Amino acid sequence: MASQQGLHPQLLGSQECLNSTVNAVSEPERAWNTEVLQWLQWVPGMDAAAAAAVGTPVGLEARIAPTWQEMTGGNESCTAGLTSMSYLTCLTYILEEWTGVEDIGDYLSYAFYILWVLFPLVVVFVLPGVIVVLFYVSILWLHIYKRKNEIKEAYSHDVWIGAREMLATIWDGHGRIWHGYELHGVENIPQGPGLVVFYHGATPVDYIYFTARLHIMNKRRCSVVADHFVFRVPGFRILLDVFGVIHGPKEACVRTLEQGHLLAIAPGGLREALFSDETYNILWSDRKGFAQVAIDAKVPIIPMFTQNVREGFRTLGGIKILRSLYERIRLPVVPLYGGFPVKLRTFIGEPIPYEPNMTAEELATKTKAAVQALIDKHQKIPGNIFRALMERFQTQKKDD
């Protein structure tokens, strides 16, 4: 009988096992078999003689119940008679002893009920979600595959062309994801050379997005004039070469334009980047060298401005001691903060054509007015970070 119940000494301490033993000797007149006697000897305080003295199920319960009571710490849920105990009840007892929470079984029953009720809904919404995820993974893979083949074809001509393709893809992807970057007025860029003049934000990230998008859309390369300190940043030399960044002597700028390339310059330079603010005031002083470059190269000037560029990153340029320190050492010693995912839109204005009779001063004034007009049209003054963040989630594109 006991062998049919599958009793084993390792089951000691289990109410189920104890019940099985009682059921195995449910007939009082039935003699104990060897396996039952061996199992009973594992019960604390019961030797072979005591096991043999227990002759009926009632005697077995009377003999074992005190020991079971002691083993379970007097918990009534496990010692109230030798009734059948489910695994959920055992789990409830263990959790109550471990957490000290009373009536935890009611919470478990409620949780299992809610799970049972909501399981069909979970399946209904989760499985379609998995399919949607697979769709987007497939779309992403197709884009990567497409760009990979374009880059592979580019490498067959020039290694740096392939590198520019890769960098343009990375930066354009970052602009799309983080800022929802948009480029408006690309049709205003001439097919030939031209000088792009833009307002300088706290960082040139908007220009990087612009040149990356322009490269992807029109396969146009746009060089840029940078401050001399950029060329002293460790490890930046190769990156500057790939992006076509030049130091900015007038002769080098003219030569780049005469070769048929686009060239970008921010006349405000580092001073405008560090000390302009949310009012978007243009800090060009009386600079007109860029205008002379356009005149010498006989190319049009294309004004450009990026909306919310001051909300993405800001500086502590209002501290006077930092301004004095910059004017002394001409290095970017002003701390900046931000990196906020604000909406960025770059607007390209109508080109200012080359006029041989226009002086550099007149052209500089006209260019400054054109950039200011873009700011007045597309930027709310003063800039607001929260508003720019909200614009990031607008689905309707702003008109050019």
Side-chain angles (χ1 to χ4, degrees), residues 336-350:
L336 62 83
Y337 63 95
F340 306 115
V342 301
K343 183 67 176 183
L344 294 182
R345 298 184 179 96
T346 294
F347 296 93
I348 302 173
E350 294 183 1

Side-chain angles (χ1 to χ4, degrees), residues 195 198 207 223-227 231 244-249 253 263-266:
L195 183 64
F198 63 97
Y207 168 77
S223 299
V224 64
V225 179
D227 192 273
F231 294 85
V245 182
I246 62 178
H247 184 269
C253 294
L263 178 66
I265 184 171

Side-chain angles (χ1 to χ4, degrees), residues 349-360:
E350 294 183 1
I352 302 173
Y354 163 72
E355 296 182 14
N357 297 326
M358 185 179 294
T359 65

Side-chain angles (χ1 to χ4, degrees), residues 291-352:
Q292 189 62 53
V293 168
I295 293 173
D296 292 345
K298 300 179 181 180
V299 297
I301 289 181
I302 305 102
M304 185 174 74
F305 170 72
T306 299
Q307 182 187 61
N308 296 325
V309 67
R310 279 281 162 188
E311 278 58 71
F313 289 91
R314 287 191 174 180
T315 67
L316 301 179
I319 302 176
K320 293 183 179 181
I321 189 174
L322 295 178
R323 179 67 178 265
S324 301
L325 184 60
Y326 166 78
E327 297 296 346
R328 182 182 297 270
I329 64 175
R330 295 300 178 93
L331 290 175
V333 294
V334 179
L336 62 83
Y337 63 95
F340 306 115
V342 301
K343 183 67 176 183
L344 294 182
R345 298 184 179 96
T346 294
F347 296 93
I348 302 173
E350 294 183 1
I352 302 173

Side-chain angles (χ1 to χ4, degrees), residues 37 86-87 105 109 113 152 170 199 350 371 383:
L37 293 175
S86 66
Y87 289 109
S109 298
Y113 175 74
K152 183 177 179 181
I170 293 173
Y199 170 85
E350 294 183 1
V371 174

